């Protein structure tokens, strides 16, 4: 709460003083110290805020739909129980490709970040692709696939502030306001009566955004693929079919460039390695699952995620009516997002007809 109030720049000088020994308090301080390291690294800065506001202005003027507040009230029981596959780019994804292929027509498939390249190489077209970065790296990663026709068959979901060039790569775009962004404050302050959902568990990774988006929308049956949040082998830290590898060999020493020595409980084994960002990401995922009514299944040989039941691929059983996933997608796009922004936002943003975007 304090860092949200005054900004993260003071956290680099934070000092922890524990006046007496208490095991629970000691553990809480250790966890807080780890989280603050990530917050300092992820903290907002002037250029990010500037471009985020410009990109949000562009999306408002283009009429791009935003996720509605309480969209879950608009979905039927059948809609909510349509299986959703959230696909991250963790090392377990390599062993789960055949499972995704088998059931992809019975579920809504969402790729997250660099997982898109892996799915493309295996001939899998996700229904949604999720990105969160405001800079142009999301465009650069996507075009490295080398198949613009493939991208034009996919719907992008993202938070406000996504780069306009990225948006134009995909068939269509659906956005959501992300709490903690200057661009979100601009919208909510200009129009307090807005009708949009504000996501508050969409950090630090794109997978956190995808989970927050889909649970806020009201979906209640979620399966995690490649959402490892840790690794058994420190040389196999992402899918070997993604941009982190070439011919099966990592392009750089990932362990040397990241602190991967943290040990946390595993999903199918006692312990796995992880890094600070993934540990915080796992914690936020657990908060998101705990705050929702969804059933979550973790198929990955990675970190144990509280609120997600461990499930081996051979025990996966998807029961869905023929055409359920496609009809749910169609309904969701038509009814759960809106491109109509309150007049106060529209009129004030329209004073800059060509906001600078970079």
């Amino acid at each position: 709460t304090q860092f949200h109030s005054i900004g993260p720049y003071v956290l680099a000088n934070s000092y922890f003083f524990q006046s007496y020994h208490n095991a629970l308090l000691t553990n809480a301080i250790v966890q807080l110290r780890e989280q603050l390291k990530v917050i300092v690294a992820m903290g907002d800065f002037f250029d990010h805020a500037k471009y985020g506001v410009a990109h949000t202005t562009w999306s408002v003027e283009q009429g791009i739909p935003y996720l509605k507040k309480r969209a879950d009230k608009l979905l039927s029981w059948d809609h909510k129980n349509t299986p959703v596959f959230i696909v991250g780019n963790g090392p377990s994804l390599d062993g789960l490709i055949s499972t995704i292929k088998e059931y992809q027509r019975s579920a809504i498939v969402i790729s997250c970040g660099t997982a898109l390249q892996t799915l493309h190489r295996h001939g899998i077209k996700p229904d949604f692709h999720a990105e969160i970065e405001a800079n142009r790296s999301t465009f650069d990663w996507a075009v490295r696939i080398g198949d613009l026709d493939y991208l034009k068959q996919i719907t992008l979901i993202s938070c406000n502030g996504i780069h306009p060039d990225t948006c134009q790569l995909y068939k269509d775009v659906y956005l959501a306001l992300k709490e903690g962004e200057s661009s979100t404050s601009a919208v909510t302050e200009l129009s307090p009566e807005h009708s949009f959902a504000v996501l508050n568990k969409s950090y630090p990774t794109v997978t956190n955004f995808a989970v927050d988006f889909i649970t806020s929308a009201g979906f209640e049956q979620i399966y995690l693929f490649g959402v490892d949040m840790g690794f058994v082998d420190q040389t196999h830290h992402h899918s070997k079919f993604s941009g982190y590898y070439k011919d099966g060999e990592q392009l750089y020493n990932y362990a040397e460039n990241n602190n991967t020595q943290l040990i946390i409980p595993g999903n199918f084994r006692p312990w796995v390695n992880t890094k600070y960002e993934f540990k915080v990401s796992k914690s936020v995922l657990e908060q998101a699952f705990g705050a929702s009514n969804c059933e979550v299944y973790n198929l990955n040989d990675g970190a144990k995620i509280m609120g997600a039941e461990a499930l081996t691929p051979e025990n996966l059983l998807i029961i869905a009516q023929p055409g359920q996933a496609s009809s749910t997608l169609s309904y969701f796009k038509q009814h759960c997002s809106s491109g109509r922004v309150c007049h106060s936002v529209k009129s004030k943003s329209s004073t800059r007809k060509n906001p600078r975007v970079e």
Side-chain angles (χ1 to χ4, degrees):
T1 301
Q2 184 72 358
F3 113 79
H4 274 302
S5 300
I6 64 176
Y9 61 91
V10 298
L11 295 181
N13 295 320
S14 296
Y15 177 77
F16 291 88
F17 174 71
Q18 188 172 346
S19 58
Y20 65 94
H21 176 73
N22 177 287
L24 293 176
L25 180 59
T26 300
N27 184 57
I29 290 176
V30 168
Q31 291 186 42
L32 179 59
R33 182 182 286 110
E34 291 178 0
Q35 292 172 8
L36 293 186
K37 288 180 180 180
V38 177
I39 290 171
V40 169
M42 293 172 48
D44 203 4
F45 51 93
F46 178 79
D47 287 349
H48 180 268
K50 170 185 171 183
Y51 295 131
V53 171
H55 298 169
T56 300
T57 302
W58 176 86
S59 69
V60 168
E61 293 178 344
Q62 296 298 311
I64 293 178
Y66 276 77
L67 182 67
K68 291 180 181 178
K69 191 182 299 182
R70 299 314 307 269
D72 57 313
K73 298 296 184 182
L74 303 174
L75 297 180
S76 68
W77 186 92
D78 285 338
H79 292 146
K80 291 181 180 181
N81 283 277
T82 300
V84 178
F85 290 179
I86 295 181
V87 183
N89 195 35
S92 294
L93 179 58
D94 292 343
L96 294 170
I97 290 295
S98 60
T99 305
I100 298 174
K101 282 187 173 182
E102 181 179 357
Y103 292 106
Q104 63 178 325
R105 296 187 183 279
S106 301
I108 296 172
V109 179
I110 305 175
S111 65
C112 299
T114 53
L116 185 62
Q117 188 176 56
T118 302
L119 296 184
H120 174 261
R121 288 182 174 178
H122 288 90
I124 299 172
K125 183 185 69 178
D127 301 294
F128 290 123
H129 175 61
E131 294 283 5
I132 57 170
E133 298 295 339
N135 58 45
R136 203 170 180 268
S137 64
T138 53
F139 175 91
D140 297 334
W141 271 101
V143 297
R144 286 181 63 184
I145 291 175
D147 189 348
L148 297 182
D149 290 337
Y150 171 78
L151 298 178
K152 276 298 182 183
Q153 301 176 61
I154 299 169
T155 295
L156 176 69
I157 57 173
S158 187
C159 46
N160 54 307
I162 188 70
H163 200 286
D165 288 356
T166 303
C167 296
Q168 293 166 5
L169 287 174
Y170 298 90
K171 178 175 66 174
D172 47 16
V173 182
Y174 293 84
L175 302 179
L177 295 176
K178 178 186 175 187
E179 187 181 59
E181 299 286 330
S182 301
S183 48
T184 297
S185 298
V187 172
T188 57
E189 290 295 327
L190 284 171
S191 182
E193 74 279 11
H194 71 89
S195 59
F196 303 135
V198 178
L199 307 183
N200 58 13
K201 297 179 178 65
S202 292
Y203 64 94
T205 71
V206 63
T207 302
N208 292 98
F209 164 75
V211 166
D212 201 9
F213 185 96
I214 216 70
T215 54
S216 297
F219 292 95
E220 298 180 353
Q221 192 176 145
I222 298 173
Y223 298 82
L224 304 179
F225 294 82
V227 183
D228 289 57
M229 298 305 162
F231 20 80
V232 178
D233 179 357
Q234 295 192 47
T235 64
H236 190 189
H237 41 80
H238 290 82
S239 167
K240 290 188 176 181
F241 294 93
S242 67
Y244 288 91
Y245 294 84
K246 184 176 182 180
D247 298 327
E249 297 294 328
Q250 57 181 344
L251 294 178
Y252 65 95
N253 193 316
Y254 188 82
E256 282 187 0
N257 287 270
N258 296 273
N259 180 5
T260 59
Q261 300 303 314
L262 295 177
I263 304 295
I264 56 175
N267 193 39
F268 294 131
R269 61 182 71 223
W271 308 102
V272 294
N273 285 84
T274 192
K275 62 177 186 174
Y276 285 121
E277 291 85 349
F278 287 167
K279 188 174 181 182
V280 173
S281 176
K282 181 182 84 76
S283 175
V284 177
L285 285 177
E286 292 171 345
Q287 294 175 34
F289 296 146
S292 68
N293 295 320
C294 57
E295 294 181 358
V296 187
Y297 300 95
N298 184 357
L299 288 86
N300 308 286
D301 189 9
K304 179 180 179 60
I305 302 174
M306 300 300 295
E309 184 176 345
L311 179 68
T312 58
E314 56 268 23
N315 288 327
L316 175 64
L317 179 62
I318 299 295
I319 300 176
Q321 298 296 324
Q324 181 178 338
S326 59
S327 64
T328 298
L329 271 173
S330 177
Y331 184 91
F332 175 81
K333 291 181 178 182
Q334 291 180 30
H335 299 282
C336 295
S337 296
S338 173
R340 298 181 62 188
V341 186
C342 295
H343 178 72
S344 57
V345 176
K346 194 83 171 182
S347 60
K348 293 177 183 180
S349 67
S350 61
T351 59
R352 294 181 63 206
K353 295 188 181 300
N354 294 300
R356 183 185 178 195
V357 292
E358 299 201 3

